Amino acid sequence: MKNDLSIYVLISFFLEDVGKVELHCEKNNKAHKTNDISVNRLIVRRGQSFLVTFELHGPSRPTTDLLELKVETGPQPSEALGTRSVFRLPEGCGKGSSWKVKVHQGSVFLAGSITLDITSPADAPVGEYRLSVKTSATASVGSSLGKLLLLFNPWCKEDWVHLPEEEERQEYVMREQGLVYKGSDKYISSMAWNFGQFEDDIVDICLKLLDVNPKCLCDPAKDFSARCNPIYVSRVVSAMINANDDRGVLMGRWDGRYDGGMSPTHWNGSVEVLRRWLKNGSNPVKYGQCWVFAAVMCTVLRCLGIPCRVVSNFQSAHDTDKNLTIDYFFSDYGVRPKQSPDSVWNYHVWVEAWMRRPDLSAGSLYDGWQVVDPTPQEKSTDVYCCGPAPVKAILQGHVDLKYDVPFVFAEVNADRVTWMVFADGSKKKISTDSVSVGQNISTKAVGSDKRVDITANYKHAEGTKMERAVYNLAVKRVNIPGENSNGTHDCKPGVSMKIVELTKPVSGKNIDLKLILNSNDSETRTLVINVNVQAMRYNGIPSSQIQTELKKLKLLPNQGRVKMFQTLSVSRPTRFNYHSSAHREAFTSQNKGN
């Protein structure tokens, strides 16, 4: 410290005027892994030092004044909120300051300039900062040293987004090209996506996105302060990617009509979408669906420094009432007298972001991957956003944690329950499918274009006791009363049915199907088979009627029967949804199957 103090005394012989400033943008940005964004502006990551050199000139005079630096972000900077910090030489001076500065080793201060090592705290708010310096206590204002952009730092152990493995940091922060998985659980396809998080102007668009979010417009000082927290930032970004209740990036549309915009299938990268949003004056780009929402969010988070990846869930449930079941209602003739708001999507795409969750546990119980979903499905605290929901909490059935864990749990592990609705409006559960929801949850592999199945991260293997135990625990924790909410059947149906595809569904081609009927009874059943075939969009919304067929047949005791049927040729790019119901002419609920 004695040697350092002698340096500061020598420095103070210069007048407080500051001359030429060198921010060492190329050198600093390379050290901070931001040179792909720019080498002409200072972009650094929090918790890591960077260099600044500036000249001190003018007639000298002896003084013991110390250098005082100041950083500020946002329109109303405050030391109490962490958006303003004053720090001084020698290192550590500056009451309450968490920013640090020291003279860079080898600094040639006697030549009239000084190079400083400046380090931001690992929990500083991200965003653009103004940096200034005072070289004398008598100076009324400091001299500007310029601006710097501060990002999250996955390389810093103290940062909440720290990701231990370098190979994963390269994949989930630095990689600009990726894959998004679509299709169905039996026919998974991939599409290439250009995230382009380091393209020119994307970082400024990401900051603009934060600046126009409703929380910032309502209370900018509080919002800028909260940007220290990746939990808060990811939640804001989730809300701002969709335009349902703010000036978000994308307007969603699922009805097949895209007048005034582009079909969601038009997009193959995020850069064009984000630039259009900015060019349109922060008005939404038309149109997006789940994979577009998720991929654009991945771009924003990676640009800001939060590790993330795009994840696809096949047979993804949309549980509107948070009872962890997807309910279907049928009358005795196979008609749906009651339309359920619940649905099962062919696939759904969201984002996983990596961060700590000290708000949920004193330890690291829920740290790691968090589901954040920008597709507007259900509101969360009155806003169309979802997450961050810890994947570890979903695996354990801890659905009483924030944010939106019950909804995501249902997406991957809800039971599909079929109800028979009687003429008087009463209903009875006739079957439960506890297996089909949440299949082949997929993401791109680290360092290659292979698909990785991460279903085991979300739930235990279907059919195991552990999976049922976790599901029952989740139902208990979600605390919504209901009939037989433990997923057991009210009764064992007298007839069971299964539809099997004999040929792959190909646009413009007929599909061969097989309906397998099995009797569990000891007496002959006379059945009426009502087969209804619909084309449905990937999110479970019916598109058109294809075929209906009504047949009578007898099913012998404890025997099975196979019936063949064929759909009409269909050319539209939708999935098929097959329904069949059977009832005995002298109807009793015991003879129902679906």
Side-chain angles (χ1 to χ4, degrees), residues 408-541:
V408 182
F409 181 91
E411 286 184 300
V412 301
N413 208 20
D415 282 358
R416 304 171 80 165
V417 180
T418 302
W419 301 88
M420 185 61 62
V421 180
F422 299 98
D424 61 0
S426 62
K427 68 181 190 298
K428 191 175 186 66
K429 184 188 295 186
I430 60 171
S431 67
T432 299
D433 172 5
S434 62
V435 175
S436 65
V437 166
Q439 300 292 317
N440 300 326
I441 303 174
S442 303
T443 192
K444 178 186 173 299
V446 173
S448 77
D449 288 341
K450 293 181 180 179
R451 181 180 68 87
V452 177
D453 191 310
I454 58 172
T455 307
N457 292 356
Y458 284 83
K459 62 180 181 178
H460 300 278
E462 294 288 1
T464 63
K465 291 183 179 179
M466 180 60 73
E467 186 276 332
R468 279 294 88 184
V470 169
Y471 179 84
N472 292 333
L473 173 65
V475 170
K476 186 180 298 184
R477 285 200 177 203
V478 84
N479 198 28
I480 295 180
E483 297 180 59
N484 296 323
S485 58
N486 62 0
T488 60
H489 297 197
D490 279 350
C491 56
K492 185 177 181 180
V495 175
S496 63
M497 285 177 283
K498 181 180 181 181
I499 295 176
V500 178
E501 293 177 354
L502 299 181
T503 59
K504 292 183 179 181
V506 178
S507 180
K509 303 289 185 179
N510 287 351
I511 303 175
D512 293 320
L513 303 170
K514 179 169 64 176
L515 172 62
I516 302 174
L517 300 167
N518 280 292
S519 173
N520 301 316
D521 290 342
S522 58
E523 58 183 275
T524 299
R525 298 299 186 191
T526 300
L527 304 176
V528 174
I529 307 299
N530 188 338
V531 177
N532 178 275
V533 183
Q534 291 178 308
M536 302 189 76
R537 304 192 185 280
Y538 80 93
N539 60 348
I541 298 176

Side-chain angles (χ1 to χ4, degrees), residues 58-234:
S60 60
R61 61 183 183 184
T63 174
T64 56
D65 294 341
L66 305 179
L67 287 175
E68 179 181 275
L69 292 100
K70 179 173 66 177
V71 290
E72 296 179 317
T73 186
Q76 303 168 35
S78 162
E79 289 186 75
L81 293 175
T83 51
R84 180 178 186 267
S85 183
V86 178
F87 49 109
R88 302 179 180 92
L89 285 170
E91 183 180 5
C93 287
K95 185 177 180 181
S97 173
S98 51
W99 286 68
K100 306 297 181 186
V101 61
K102 63 181 179 180
V103 176
H104 180 61
Q105 186 176 8
S107 178
V108 190
F109 57 87
L110 290 177
S113 68
I114 181 172
T115 299
L116 300 178
D117 262 312
I118 301 173
T119 305
S120 66
D123 60 352
V126 298
E128 188 175 69
Y129 283 79
R130 302 171 294 279
L131 176 63
S132 60
V133 62
K134 287 170 60 177
T135 59
S136 171
T138 61
S140 57
V141 293
S143 299
S144 174
L145 296 180
K147 295 180 179 180
L148 64 97
L149 183 57
L150 189 66
L151 304 177
F152 291 103
N153 192 353
W155 286 265
C156 176
K157 291 183 178 179
E158 289 73 34
D159 197 313
W160 284 7
V161 302
H162 174 246
L163 189 59
E165 299 297 328
E166 175 61 21
E167 190 178 14
E168 292 187 344
R169 293 192 289 256
Q170 291 298 319
E171 180 70 44
Y172 300 135
V173 181
M174 303 300 292
R175 190 176 299 277
E176 294 188 82
Q177 306 293 328
L179 297 174
V180 179
Y181 295 99
K182 301 169 63 178
S184 67
D185 58 317
K186 296 179 181 178
Y187 312 109
I188 298 174
S189 62
S190 65
M191 66 175 295
W193 193 271
N194 175 32
F195 296 111
Q197 67 268 28
F198 300 138
E199 290 285 332
D200 293 343
D201 71 9
I202 292 300
V203 69
D204 294 308
I205 296 174
C206 294
L207 294 179
K208 176 72 171 180
L209 191 70
L210 297 180
D211 291 346
V212 300
N213 92 81
K215 293 180 179 180
C216 185
L217 298 177
C218 178
D219 189 344
K222 186 177 180 181
D223 176 80
F224 271 79
S225 175
R227 295 181 191 182
C228 66
N229 190 338
I231 301 168
Y232 176 85
V233 171
S234 66

Side-chain angles (χ1 to χ4, degrees), residues 375-389:
T375 300
Q377 296 186 85
E378 300 293 329
K379 285 190 174 183
S380 174
T381 59
D382 298 321
V383 176
Y384 277 104
C385 66
C386 180

